Amino acid sequence: MQQGKKPLIDWIRRRLEASPEKAATFRDFMEWCLYQPDYGYYMSEKSKVGRDGDYYTSAAIGGVMGIMVARLMLKLSESWRGGRIVWVEWGGGTGQLAKQILDEVRSSDPEIYERLTYFVIEKSPFHLQRQRETLLDHQQAVCFIDEELWEKEGSRRTVIFSNELLDAFPVHRVQWSEGRLKEQRVYWNEEEGRFASRWTPAEDKRLERYLERNQITLTEGQTAEINLSAEEWIGRQAARLEEGSLVTVDYGDVAEELYSQHRMNGTLMCYRDHLAGDYPLEHIGEQDMTSHVDFSACIRAGQESGIREWSLMTQKQFLVEQGIFSLLQNHSGSDPFSPEARRNRAVRQLLISDGMSELFKVLVQTK
């Protein structure tokens, strides 16, 4: 029998049964698993990050990442003396990173802090409540807003920031097979009582155009992910900017690396109880599902929307540029749990742990 949340399994089955083909693209299936309003993984009242969750993020490591992001955002805003400054964070999870950023700004540049409006855009009611609690100390600076209202806001003197947002957007899964592009579709296997998938000719012409635009050539039998939503999101946010920057922190790489021949199975991964696997049709609504971000597509989408300046660097390069070594402190070494020892461990962990500092990238696009 299918493992996962039964109400969500039943909900998806009804959607599949109502469709003419009794199947859905993997992209739609992934969106339902993650974002279905009542039962989706991200919408549930369950800890996702930290010891009690399914994975860790850089925000959970000693507060260091927030300080570094704050330094960058201050630099991007340093010419805006006088008047209102707007920073926007999309998909902030528990609000932990936002608190780190705002703590640092209030401490290091009170003048900017007094003029700052920090918009938080979050679609998960559970995370939104956690953010309200976490950011209570900054309520004079924080404004919780939904995407529709944000679209009506002006975007002059604005920095838009996201951390591990784009990797959670639903993706199309494609495969080059028998000389043509095919797309993965999900259906309900009644005999086995579980979801299954098959490859059918890709009907969405945007998928082939995506590969052509990014000069991607898949080899026979190669599977890959195409994140049209990430490309569209970058383009939409960049187009709205009058003066400001778009800062995207996520794991991924340029197209040349992501779609190379040594990645025959793509990059889609699932995370549950801190275990990684490639079983997206299991544990419905109970696991995170992500894929690496194609930063080549993000850069191109920004350029098409008026971005003229951009930089892409590894998280390690970003941390060094923002002065992470200045956070290291001398201490006696007698107390491994002292604030100084904890901070030093956090710095080392962000820079060297499991190669994540190289896997994560920081893209800064400026108008």
Side-chain angles (χ1 to χ4, degrees), residues 253-273:
D253 218 315
V254 294
E256 182 181 5
E257 166 61 25
L258 285 187
Y259 299 100
S260 62
Q261 292 186 19
H262 73 271
R263 291 188 181 274
M264 290 297 292
N265 296 317
T267 65
L268 187 83
M269 292 296 292
C270 303
Y271 294 90
R272 183 170 182 264
D273 295 331

Side-chain angles (χ1 to χ4, degrees), residues 144-326:
F144 297 95
I145 190 171
D146 62 27
E147 183 174 352
E148 183 177 350
L149 287 176
W150 166 243
E151 294 292 340
K152 299 176 182 178
E153 278 281 328
S155 55
R156 179 171 172 77
R157 292 186 169 184
T158 301
V159 179
I160 301 173
F161 167 69
S162 68
N163 179 56
E164 296 188 55
L165 173 71
L166 303 188
D167 68 83
F169 285 177
V171 297
H172 295 266
R173 298 198 82 194
V174 299
Q175 185 180 89
W176 188 258
S177 176
E178 300 175 334
R180 65 188 307 180
L181 188 67
K182 296 184 179 181
E183 181 172 12
Q184 187 177 26
R185 292 180 176 272
V186 177
Y187 66 97
W188 178 257
N189 187 319
E190 188 65 41
E191 183 177 337
E192 297 183 4
R194 60 191 302 110
F195 293 111
S197 68
R198 55 176 175 253
W199 296 96
T200 62
E203 299 177 354
D204 191 334
K205 298 303 180 184
R206 295 177 301 169
L207 302 177
E208 291 188 5
R209 289 198 295 269
Y210 183 98
L211 298 178
E212 293 171 359
R213 283 198 309 270
N214 290 286
Q215 299 180 328
I216 298 167
T217 301
L218 302 179
T219 61
E220 179 66 24
Q222 184 176 3
T223 299
E225 292 80 35
I226 295 180
N227 193 336
L228 297 178
S229 297
E231 181 183 49
E232 292 165 359
W233 185 87
I234 289 285
R236 190 167 64 252
Q237 302 311 315
R240 294 188 68 254
L241 279 179
E242 296 176 28
E243 178 184 2
S245 300
L246 187 57
V247 179
T248 307
V249 181
D250 224 315
Y251 53 89
D253 218 315
V254 294
E256 182 181 5
E257 166 61 25
L258 285 187
Y259 299 100
S260 62
Q261 292 186 19
H262 73 271
R263 291 188 181 274
M264 290 297 292
N265 296 317
T267 65
L268 187 83
M269 292 296 292
C270 303
Y271 294 90
R272 183 170 182 264
D273 295 331
H274 298 284
L275 296 176
D278 57 353
Y279 308 104
L281 304 187
E282 300 291 339
H283 305 295
I284 307 302
E286 297 178 343
Q287 63 180 357
D288 191 17
M289 301 165 67
T290 75
S291 68
H292 287 20
V293 174
D294 178 359
F295 281 101
S296 295
C298 293
I299 292 168
R300 182 183 48 74
Q303 291 175 322
E304 291 177 353
S305 297
I307 295 292
R308 293 295 174 262
E309 299 179 19
W310 61 269
S311 65
L312 178 67
M313 66 194 85
T314 66
Q315 181 173 284
K316 182 176 183 178
Q317 291 173 312
F318 162 74
L319 294 171
V320 171
E321 280 194 10
Q322 302 309 316
I324 190 172
F325 292 120
S326 69

